[in-house]
Amino acid sequence: MGRGETIADTARVLSRYVDGIMYRAFKHENVRELARNASVPVINGLDDREHPCQTVSDLFTIQERKAPLDGLKLAYVGDGNNVCNSLLLGSATVGMDMTAACPAGYEPDPELLREARQIAKDRGATIEVAHDPHSAVRGADVIYTDVWVSMGQEREKEEREKIFRPYQVNTKLLDHAKPDAVVMHCLPAHRGLEITDEVMDGPRSIVFDQAENRLHAQKAILARFLAGV
Ligand code: NVA
């Protein structure tokens, strides 16, 4: 996208061919540009700022286990990335408290954080950013993590792996959480880095239910936008 012609022209051409577009992009602005110029629905399939379809699916998975969502607490441990950003907006929207524990300099997008806090205020939920993963998971019903190196950040791999080491989701960290807290990861996971085998394959992991629910949630999103259900 954006290589042979402008994104705006691609949007116009694709709109003549298809009923909807799901776009996985590096830049958030490119998704917006496509959406502005398309006459069919454009679904954000992930970009460097947000990962909304993942969050829709994750809220569904949490609801299956721990409904109602309102009043639960989610602790996100790791990089304040696209997944974290969308979870902030999603948690706020459903009235779920969320704390993101991230290293200094790797916090969520400040503008998005303001937006999430505004939404949370109306729903009676709290949105917090912290640096200590142990206190962040205290009292949490859901512990969530994602990769330390997102798409496009491959050159920062070595540095990030050092900085994020204390943010690994392992059994020691889970000792600080509620005994019935569940663990989530949007996948693909880097076992031994952001999450250990023991946790990912352990009794509190709902990672593979979460993976299955991506399928069902994506069907719901298509039904909503393409069939108007
Ligand atoms: N944060 C990750 C999510 C992958 C589905 C990335 O952007 O690479």
Side-chain angles (χ1 to χ4, degrees):
M1 195 79 80
R3 194 184 64 91
E5 64 185 359
T6 65
I7 289 177
D9 284 349
T10 303
R12 291 175 189 119
V13 173
L14 286 181
S15 297
R16 303 285 181 114
Y17 292 170
V18 299
D19 297 310
I21 304 166
M22 187 164 190
Y23 182 16
R24 178 164 280 205
F26 281 112
K27 288 200 203 132
H28 181 68
E29 188 39 44
N30 288 355
V31 181
R32 295 247 174 230
E33 173 83 6
L34 191 81
R36 267 196 303 273
N37 291 282
S39 56
V40 295
V42 172
I43 300 167
N44 184 342
L46 172 144
D47 62 37
D48 60 352
R49 184 176 193 257
E50 292 175 43
H51 197 3
C53 293
Q54 181 68 51
T55 288
V56 169
S57 173
D58 292 342
L59 293 174
F60 169 49
T61 304
I62 299 167
Q63 189 174 38
E64 274 190 329
R65 294 279 174 156
K66 295 192 174 283
L69 293 170
D70 186 0
L72 294 175
K73 178 184 168 183
L74 183 147
Y76 177 94
V77 179
D79 189 15
N81 61 14
N82 43 11
V83 170
C84 178
N85 284 338
S86 285
L87 281 170
L88 288 166
L89 291 176
S91 298
T93 303
V94 298
M96 186 162 68
D97 295 338
M98 176 167 165
T99 301
C102 315
Y106 295 89
E107 295 93 348
D109 182 275
E111 194 190 310
L112 190 142
L113 196 56
R114 264 196 298 279
E115 197 186 326
R117 285 191 166 131
Q118 192 55 47
I119 301 169
K121 212 167 133 199
D122 296 339
R123 308 279 194 283
T126 57
I127 296 291
E128 286 171 29
V129 176
H131 297 304
D132 175 21
H134 295 103
S135 51
V137 302
R138 209 161 289 141
D141 302 284
V142 181
I143 295 161
Y144 199 118
T145 191
D146 182 24
V147 292
W148 294 337
V149 182
S150 283
M151 287 177 236
Q153 296 170 339
E154 290 75 11
R155 263 178 295 162
E156 299 169 36
K157 187 173 182 292
E158 215 173 304
E159 192 190 353
R160 281 176 167 265
E161 285 181 3
K162 255 189 251 147
I163 293 169
F164 283 96
R165 180 66 51 192
Y167 291 79
Q168 184 183 66
V169 175
N170 52 33
T171 47
K172 267 200 198 131
L173 183 71
L174 292 194
D175 285 345
H176 295 262
K178 278 185 176 173
D180 65 345
V182 291
V183 177
M184 300 178 76
H185 190 307
C186 63
L187 302 183
H190 292 121
R191 288 167 173 264
L193 293 177
E194 73 272 5
I195 191 165
T196 58
D197 285 332
E198 212 177 344
V199 170
M200 183 127 156
D201 302 326
R204 302 204 220 175
S205 166
I206 58 166
V207 167
F208 295 104
D209 288 345
Q210 185 186 357
E212 178 189 332
N213 282 340
R214 270 307 288 278
L215 173 68
H216 308 308
Q218 304 324 288
K219 287 185 290 188
I221 291 168
L222 289 179
R224 167 73 177 78
F225 287 110
L226 303 187
V229 172

